[in-house]
Amino acid sequence: MDKPSLLILNIKQLQAIRTSFILVHGGGKLASALSEKIGIQTHMINGRRITDAQTLDIVTMVYAGLINKKIVARMQAIGKNAIGICGADLHLITATKRSRTPIDFGFVGDIKDINTEQLRLLIDNGCVPVFSSITHDGKGQLLNTNADTIASALAISLGNLYNVTLCYCFEKNGVLLNPDDEQSVIAELSEEKYEMLKAAGNIYSGMIPKLDNAFAAFSQDISSVQIMHALQLQHFINSGYAGTKLVK
Amino acid sequence: MDKPSLLILNIKQLQAIRTSFILVHGGGKLASALSEKIGIQTHMINGRRITDAQTLDIVTMVYAGLINKKIVARMQAIGKNAIGICGADLHLITATKRSRTPIDFGFVGDIKDINTEQLRLLIDNGCVPVFSSITHDGKGQLLNTNADTIASALAISLGNLYNVTLCYCFEKNGVLLNPDDEQSVIAELSEEKYEMLKAAGNIYSGMIPKLDNAFAAFSQDISSVQIMHALQLQHFINSGYAGTKLVK
């Protein structure tokens, strides 16, 4: 979602969706670009952003402001009644500030609670919730929270009420056996196979948190979990096939 | 709303409100400060921001992201179920890009339509809509729109459904006879008196667009229009008196 040139294309695909849906986005590349412009250094540990007070302002601006509202405006233009929100809105996602040990990530939140009732009101009113990856602690503090984790937590919380398909869209064709070969997509991945590949060092390190989130959701009440290139979404909606499908 | 030190104090006052309400905010000072940090010059004509594409990104980040979500998190902390939105969300406020003549203001929108039905759903569900002053054209384009005008248009559109009080909160004690004397508040102002004072050059130029918006709303179905210092809001809620009251 943080490549402006692809945003329109990505959004257009959503027109094919005929059911209720939720969109969750981050925007790390644009946040890093804005940080650089302002002269604030970006610090990452294990792919996670160290979020001091200034960086929290930046991700709140970029995720909840710029990217979120651009997506919403584009969705309205294709007739999807989007509402751009973050976890603080309607008290939808409450998180706890992560402990300072072993690593002080700053204003980063781990999800504590999803307000399924309020979320259901939005969905059942025909709205399309578009979540930026910002949550709050319920005491007035915004917190930066991983978008993949939010998607997984939302899917789990809604699994009791709806038949949920969870799609992770990113810039690879799926889970790859060889990260340099976009054709090496693993079409079906079980948790057993995942653990074997991971132990053998055959899963690209950047994929591990995403897959851990994906399997966490899949082990719950989620009908289907799919990991695919963002531009395959429409193909997936129409055919039911794209990228990597998690299997039991 | 763009003085971080006052934000908590401003929000705390809202706890006194016992009815449904809507909050509308801008954040011009913070937008100008961010522009300066990034090295983008701020151009204003008659107190209105010239909004080129880069400036639109900045106001979207600052208004719809940073300020909006900080307000929402603070409101949740005092038990008000806020939802931070802009005009693109739920197609709530559609605007038309202003004509390039006589002055090309760039991506600035004049309000065309308020989606009262969707707004009513939020209010009747017990939510508190918090609007940042960004609208859209319905075709995918966000537009920068004056917050005072949004407040006035929302009040007018809801005047048929609810008993509406419109409060303009700013950094002065009300409409002043002498802009340098905070004690010279005009307690009651009729349109006739306003026109007389304006003709005599006794209304501070910065107040004129605000008062024009205020009288536009008051001439419609709005029960009461009040112009006051932001920190007088709680006093007004409790006593019914503060700043300047428009009268027939």
Side-chain angles (χ1 to χ4, degrees), chain B residues 109-125:
Chain B
D110 292 310
I111 297 171
K112 197 171 72 181
D113 187 57
I114 306 275
N115 190 337
T116 318
E117 199 189 329
Q118 291 277 325
L119 194 53
R120 188 182 191 171
L121 273 177
L122 291 178
I123 295 168
D124 291 352
N125 271 333

Side-chain angles (χ1 to χ4, degrees), chain A residues 107-127:
Chain A
F107 293 103
V108 160
D110 293 310
I111 295 170
K112 198 172 72 180
D113 187 56
I114 306 275
N115 190 338
T116 318
E117 198 189 328
Q118 291 277 326
L119 195 51
R120 189 182 193 173
L121 273 178
L122 291 179
I123 296 168
D124 292 352
N125 272 333
C127 309

Side-chain angles (χ1 to χ4, degrees), chain A residues 34 37-38 54 56-58 60-62 64-70 72-74 76-78 81-86 88-92 115 118 121-122 125 127-128 132 134 136 138-142, chain B residues 34 37-38 54 56-58 60-62 64-70 72-74 76-78 81-86 88-92 115 118 121-122 125 127-128 132 134 136 138-142:
Chain A
L34 180 63
K37 268 189 195 166
I38 298 183
Q54 275 187 311
L56 180 66
D57 281 359
I58 285 171
T60 306
M61 289 196 285
V62 171
L66 187 62
I67 298 180
N68 192 264
K69 298 312 171 191
K70 278 194 177 178
V72 168
R74 292 285 174 200
Q76 291 293 349
I78 61 161
N81 197 18
I83 182 161
I85 45 187
C86 77
D89 296 298
L90 301 179
H91 207 55
L92 285 165
N115 190 338
Q118 291 277 326
L121 273 178
L122 291 179
N125 272 333
C127 309
V128 180
S132 65
I134 303 287
H136 77 146
K139 292 172 234 155
Q141 181 62 56
L142 295 168
Chain B
L34 180 63
K37 270 189 193 165
I38 297 181
Q54 276 186 310
L56 180 66
D57 281 1
I58 285 171
T60 305
M61 290 197 283
V62 171
L66 187 62
I67 298 180
N68 191 265
K69 298 312 170 192
K70 279 196 175 174
V72 168
R74 292 285 173 198
Q76 291 293 349
I78 60 161
N81 196 18
I83 181 160
I85 46 187
C86 76
D89 297 299
L90 301 179
H91 208 53
L92 285 165
N115 190 337
Q118 291 277 325
L121 273 177
L122 291 178
N125 271 333
C127 309
V128 180
S132 64
I134 303 286
H136 76 147
K139 294 172 233 156
Q141 180 63 56
L142 296 169

Side-chain angles (χ1 to χ4, degrees), chain B residues 172 175-186 202 204:
Chain B
K172 297 274 175 193
V175 183
L176 305 177
L177 257 179
N178 171 3
D180 298 324
D181 178 8
E182 284 287 335
Q183 302 315 310
S184 67
V185 175
I186 304 167
N202 282 333
Y204 173 59

Side-chain angles (χ1 to χ4, degrees), chain A residues 170 174-180 184-186 188-212 215 227 244 246:
Chain A
F170 68 142
V175 183
L176 305 176
L177 257 178
N178 172 2
D180 297 324
S184 68
V185 175
I186 304 166
E188 296 197 333
L189 185 62
S190 67
E191 192 151 16
E192 197 186 3
K193 189 169 168 188
Y194 169 51
E195 294 300 341
M196 271 171 53
L197 287 167
K198 192 161 65 168
N202 282 333
I203 299 284
Y204 173 60
S205 64
M207 276 302 295
I208 293 173
K210 206 176 283 285
L211 279 167
D212 286 344
F215 278 109
I227 298 162
T244 301
L246 301 197

